[in-house]
């Protein structure tokens, strides 16, 4: 009897100890600042890495699974985005602003875009990589558009290109598609036309512009685009376009009724602080962390704290 009580006691102690270890263990794995929210699809994705294709994006639209997209311009960041499970990386011409420091997207060249895109492609195993065709490489005539798109695909190894505009560029879109290159459209606030708009305010608030946007989206879908980005337009218009189209509609400032969302990486990480539109959610305040880390390094160098005995040969 005495031995039976002893065995029971040890069993209870073992159970409570393992529960304690487990709960402590899960705490120690939690990120100190960011709680990682796991969606069903993220959990499913932890197995074999299968590459996202236009077909997968189309299936996501049909299943009602939202598409996550972020911009990426370099190898190291793209590797992290891919590891995190992002669906689409856009090598945006916003590289002109956030990587090169220009005040608009107009100055970036085809060579620059190919450089950024090939760095991203080298980092990625799963995400679908789309590259912005820069200003001046597709608006003039379809021949130039086609040869620019072919250069992007050949020299970077990306999966698709993105062009801004509707009816005005439809011939270029059709020729690129006929060469077998997937095309993503971009309507609403199209930053390459900033000099025409004169301002970055919300687009298509008036009926005429809203109707043109709806017609342009139909035209791009009919031509064979695999997806369309809608930028900075009223949420009800974004929802209307997404509801009436068979291809994925990705929004940036287009509300939650669309099929996916895209943000500029440097904005959502809080690296760029001067840009604060209503649609932007900042997930980090990296600019403060980076400045603090660099200031600590400067102090350590100046005070001879760095390197210490263990950090030298
Ligand atoms: O270049 C870019 O970052 C973009 C997004 C704003 C969609 O086109």
């Amino acid at each position: 009897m005495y031995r039976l009580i002893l065995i029971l006691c040890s069993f209870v102690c073992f159970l409570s100890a393992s529960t304690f270890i487990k709960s402590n263990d899960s705490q120690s794995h939690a990120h100190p600042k960011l709680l990682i929210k796991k969606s069903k699809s993220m959990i499913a994705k932890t197995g074999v890495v299968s590459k996202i294709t236009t077909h997968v994006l189309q299936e996501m639209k049909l299943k009602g699974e939202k598409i996550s997209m972020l911009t990426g311009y370099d190898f190291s960041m793209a590797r992290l985005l891919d590891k995190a499970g992002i669906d689409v990386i856009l090598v945006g011409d916003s590289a002109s602003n956030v990587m090169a420091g220009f005040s608009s997207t107009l100055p970036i060249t085809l060579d620059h875009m190919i450089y950024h895109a090939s760095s991203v492609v080298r980092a990625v195993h799963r995400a679908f990589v789309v590259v912005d065709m820069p200003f001046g490489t597709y608006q003039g005539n379809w021949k130039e558009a086609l040869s620019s798109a072919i250069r992007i695909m050949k020299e970077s190894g990306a999966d698709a290109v993105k062009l801004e505009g509707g009816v005005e560029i439809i011939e270029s879109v059709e020729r690129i598609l006929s060469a077998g290159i997937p095309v993503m459209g971009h309507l609403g606030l199209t930053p390459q036309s900033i000099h025409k708009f004169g301002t970055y305010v919300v687009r298509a608030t008036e009926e005429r512009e809203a109707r043109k946007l709806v017609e342009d989206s139909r035209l791009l879908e009919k031509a064979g685009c695999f997806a369309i980005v809608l930028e900075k337009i009223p949420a009800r218009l974004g929802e209307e376009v997404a509801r009436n189209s068979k291809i994925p509609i990705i929004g940036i400032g287009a509300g939650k009724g669309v099929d996916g969302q895209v943000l500029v990486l440097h904005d959502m990480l809080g690296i760029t602080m001067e840009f604060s539109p209503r649609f932007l959610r900042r997930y980090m305040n990296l600019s403060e962390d980076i400045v603090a880390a660099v200031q600590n390094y400067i102090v350590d160098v100046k005070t001879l704290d760095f390197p210490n005995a263990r950090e030298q040969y």
Side-chain angles (χ1 to χ4, degrees):
M1 184 63 182
Y2 172 74
R3 279 180 67 188
L4 188 70
I5 291 170
L6 205 68
I7 290 168
L8 268 176
C9 279
S10 347
F11 185 63
V12 170
C13 285
F14 168 75
L15 272 186
S16 44
S18 61
T19 316
F20 175 77
I21 289 165
K22 263 191 206 146
S23 62
N24 263 7
D25 197 42
S26 63
Q27 270 169 17
S28 70
H29 280 87
H31 189 284
K33 283 189 196 158
L34 280 180
L35 190 68
I36 304 190
K37 304 174 186 173
K38 282 194 175 149
S39 73
K40 273 189 205 149
S41 64
M42 257 182 91
I43 294 162
K45 275 177 210 153
T46 50
V48 182
V49 178
S50 52
K51 173 85 182 156
I52 302 276
T53 60
T54 53
H55 183 71
V56 174
L57 297 172
Q58 183 61 51
E59 274 183 352
M60 288 168 83
K61 159 104 184 179
L62 288 176
K63 284 192 285 187
E65 180 182 344
K66 300 288 179 187
I67 296 167
S68 61
M69 172 162 147
L70 281 171
T71 63
Y73 319 101
D74 68 282
F75 177 85
S76 304
M77 284 290 196
R79 198 157 55 160
L80 296 177
L81 297 184
D82 199 48
K83 188 177 173 195
I86 199 80
D87 297 316
V88 183
I89 298 181
L90 170 66
V91 184
D93 57 357
S94 49
S96 180
N97 306 90
V98 297
M99 300 302 284
F102 290 113
S103 60
S104 79
T105 57
L106 274 66
I108 201 156
T109 66
L110 190 56
D111 285 339
H112 290 146
M113 289 305 294
I114 291 170
Y115 164 78
H116 287 298
S118 53
S119 310
V120 167
V121 169
R122 280 192 289 275
V124 165
H125 296 290
R126 178 182 169 276
F128 188 80
V129 180
V130 184
V131 184
D132 260 337
M133 293 190 61
F135 177 67
T137 62
Y138 62 93
Q139 294 93 342
N141 63 64
W142 67 261
K143 283 190 185 146
E144 195 185 353
L146 181 58
S147 67
S148 309
I150 289 175
R151 268 201 69 199
I152 290 176
M153 299 300 283
K154 247 185 194 304
E155 295 177 38
S156 75
D159 301 307
V161 295
K162 174 162 86 58
L163 283 72
E164 295 182 5
V167 63
E168 313 79 12
I169 56 144
I170 201 67
E171 195 176 7
S172 296
V173 169
E174 284 166 348
R175 296 291 180 150
I176 295 169
L177 283 164
S178 68
I181 300 172
V183 175
M184 178 180 265
H186 185 159
L187 300 170
L189 177 63
T190 45
Q192 291 178 12
S193 307
I194 188 58
H195 295 302
K196 184 178 89 182
F197 298 143
T199 151
Y200 285 99
V201 295
V202 185
R203 303 307 314 175
T205 50
E206 283 165 18
E207 195 54 21
R208 206 160 61 96
E209 195 178 335
R211 286 311 111 204
K212 177 174 182 325
L213 187 142
V214 168
E215 277 162 30
D216 281 344
S217 67
R218 282 202 197 112
L219 205 60
L220 291 172
E221 178 172 349
K222 202 163 152 242
C225 286
F226 72 94
I228 300 172
V229 165
L230 295 183
E231 180 165 353
K232 216 169 178 185
I233 59 162
R236 49 158 188 79
L237 183 59
E239 199 268 332
E240 180 191 331
V241 175
R243 188 170 13 93
N244 293 313
S245 66
K246 293 202 165 52
I247 57 173
I249 304 297
I250 316 281
I252 172 164
K256 59 158 63 174
V258 289
D259 306 304
Q261 300 292 333
V262 55
L263 285 176
V264 169
L265 182 68
H266 290 58
D267 297 337
M268 62 85 79
L269 291 180
I271 298 175
T272 48
M273 294 307 289
E274 57 289 342
F275 181 68
S276 278
R278 188 202 292 202
F279 66 74
L280 173 61
R281 184 180 292 183
R282 283 193 213 287
Y283 286 82
M284 290 192 85
N285 199 347
L286 259 191
S287 65
E288 268 181 22
D289 290 347
I290 292 174
V291 169
V294 173
Q295 283 174 338
N296 286 340
Y297 170 73
I298 294 168
V299 170
D300 289 352
V301 169
K302 304 245 179 225
T303 59
L304 291 184
D305 181 79
F306 176 78
N308 64 25
R310 277 173 290 111
E311 291 161 334
Q312 61 191 12
Y313 300 99

